[in-house]
Amino acid sequence: MADGTRVSTTKGGDGMTDDAGSGHTPDDAEAQAPKVRIGQGPGRLLLSLYAVFTVAALSRSIVQIATKYHDAPLAYVLSGVAGVVYAVITVALWKGGEQARRVALVCCSAELAGVIAVGTLTLVDSSAFPDATVWSDFGVGYVFLPLALPVAGLLWLRRAARGAGQRREQQTGSEA
Amino acid sequence: MLDAVLITVSVTALLLAAWCGVAALRDQPTNDWHFVAMGVVTVAALVQLVISIVQLAHGDRPQHGMAVFLPYLVGAALVIPAAAFMSLAERTRWGSAIVAAGGLILAVLELRLNEIWGAGHG
């Protein structure tokens, strides 16, 4: 019995060293092109919220452009543009990878700039937008989510990249 | 719009949001009971969908127009199933957070539905 236990422990130990040794090659391949998974964990929550906002902004602007375009063309077109930006971010989060991360990063920045610009404009000069958009008053009609989402998005995209970088460093470190 | 159904959907959605929110805070993924709750809320939203369609068929009209009312109505029925799928794909605390967010969104949609139909108007 005692012998058996000892043998199996040794075997287990050997197995672990073997695993670490043989695991090197695929790890290195991954290290060269690390897949930045931006649509998982917190990213999946962001992805879900962005999907909701895509539908909300796009359907809102479609209905408004179709039924009362001439009331406030700028506001309705802006809602449409916001919807497209949301759609791009949603797809980027869904796809993942470094390129998608950069696309999402650019779109989140544009979104943040849009929210701040439109939010400030609507507060300073309320006549600029006769009808509300998703971004009016910093998105107060959507519990400030239009303002919070791009901030959370940018933070998450940065962290996701750092996570991938750390994984890469750890892998190169274990190699040395 | 039937107030009783609207209130039922809103309250169950908020309860679901709170429950899954607690699970997310405790670092737990959604479990079978959460999915049962999602089913209950979805059934309530579907009942609302059917009742609303019947009312529309009888000639009742939302105060702020069909074009706005219908997307919200369909959206309300789809939010929780969509959140459930996302939570199946994400077996971490974030899956619970997604369902919590879905419950809150559904409650907001109900609020908007009430406004669009015209509060105290039917």
Side-chain angles (χ1 to χ4, degrees), chain B:
Chain B
M1 188 87 129
L2 223 67
D3 283 348
V5 185
L6 198 136
I7 291 168
T8 307
V9 176
S10 309
V11 170
T12 50
L14 286 176
L15 286 176
L16 177 70
W19 192 17
C20 290
V22 168
L25 287 179
R26 286 186 181 161
D27 205 2
Q28 291 162 348
T30 45
N31 60 35
D32 287 355
W33 294 109
H34 291 128
F35 281 97
V36 169
M38 288 178 231
V40 170
V41 179
T42 304
V43 167
L46 286 175
V47 167
Q48 181 184 43
L49 181 72
V50 171
I51 289 178
S52 302
I53 290 172
V54 168
Q55 280 189 324
L56 291 174
H58 277 156
D60 290 348
R61 284 293 173 267
Q63 211 175 337
H64 295 271
M66 289 277 273
V68 189
F69 183 74
L70 281 180
Y72 273 96
L73 190 62
V74 175
L78 291 180
V79 162
I80 298 300
F85 274 113
M86 286 306 252
S87 142
L88 272 182
E90 181 66 42
R91 303 308 300 149
T92 65
R93 70 189 308 175
W94 298 103
S96 307
I98 289 170
V99 180
L104 289 179
I105 290 168
L106 178 53
V108 172
L109 287 180
E110 293 298 312
L111 210 63
R112 288 286 295 137
L113 271 175
N114 193 38
E115 282 172 20
I116 296 162
W117 186 263
H121 188 257

Side-chain angles (χ1 to χ4, degrees), chain A residues 109-169:
Chain A
S109 312
E111 185 198 344
L112 186 59
V115 181
I116 291 174
V118 174
T120 315
L121 256 178
T122 44
L123 282 188
V124 173
D125 177 16
S126 53
S127 66
F129 293 96
D131 203 349
T133 73
V134 264
W135 290 347
S136 297
D137 299 329
F138 300 108
V140 66
Y142 295 83
V143 274
F144 291 111
L145 271 177
L147 185 61
L149 269 185
V151 175
L154 288 172
L155 288 175
W156 162 244
L157 289 171
R158 233 180 51 161
R159 218 185 78 183
R162 235 185 1 235
Q166 271 168 7
R167 275 203 299 278
R168 197 169 5 181
E169 271 166 36

Side-chain angles (χ1 to χ4, degrees), chain A residues 40-42 44-45 47-48 52 63, chain B residues 67 86 89-90 94 97-98 101 105:
Chain A
Q40 287 181 357
R44 183 117 42 192
L45 175 62
L47 167 62
S48 312
V52 169
V63 166
Chain B
M86 286 306 252
E90 181 66 42
W94 298 103
I98 289 170
I105 290 168

Side-chain angles (χ1 to χ4, degrees), chain A residues 21-150:
Chain A
S22 63
H24 251 292
T25 331
D27 274 1
D28 285 350
E30 243 183 41
Q32 276 165 4
K35 177 86 172 162
V36 190
R37 295 182 180 277
I38 50 177
Q40 287 181 357
R44 183 117 42 192
L45 175 62
L46 277 176
L47 167 62
S48 312
L49 290 173
Y50 269 115
V52 169
F53 268 84
T54 305
V55 175
L58 278 184
S59 53
R60 175 182 186 145
S61 103
I62 288 170
V63 166
Q64 287 174 329
I65 286 175
T67 57
K68 45 177 186 177
Y69 176 69
H70 295 289
D71 289 4
L74 182 59
Y76 303 152
V77 169
L78 193 75
S79 282
V81 171
V84 172
V85 173
Y86 289 138
V88 172
I89 298 173
T90 309
V91 173
L93 285 172
W94 181 262
K95 281 189 67 178
E98 179 58 23
Q99 204 174 359
R101 194 188 71 86
R102 285 198 191 133
V103 170
L105 213 54
V106 170
C107 285
C108 279
S109 312
E111 185 198 344
L112 186 59
V115 181
I116 291 174
V118 174
T120 315
L121 256 178
T122 44
L123 282 188
V124 173
D125 177 16
S126 53
S127 66
F129 293 96
D131 203 349
T133 73
V134 264
W135 290 347
S136 297
D137 299 329
F138 300 108
V140 66
Y142 295 83
V143 274
F144 291 111
L145 271 177
L147 185 61
L149 269 185

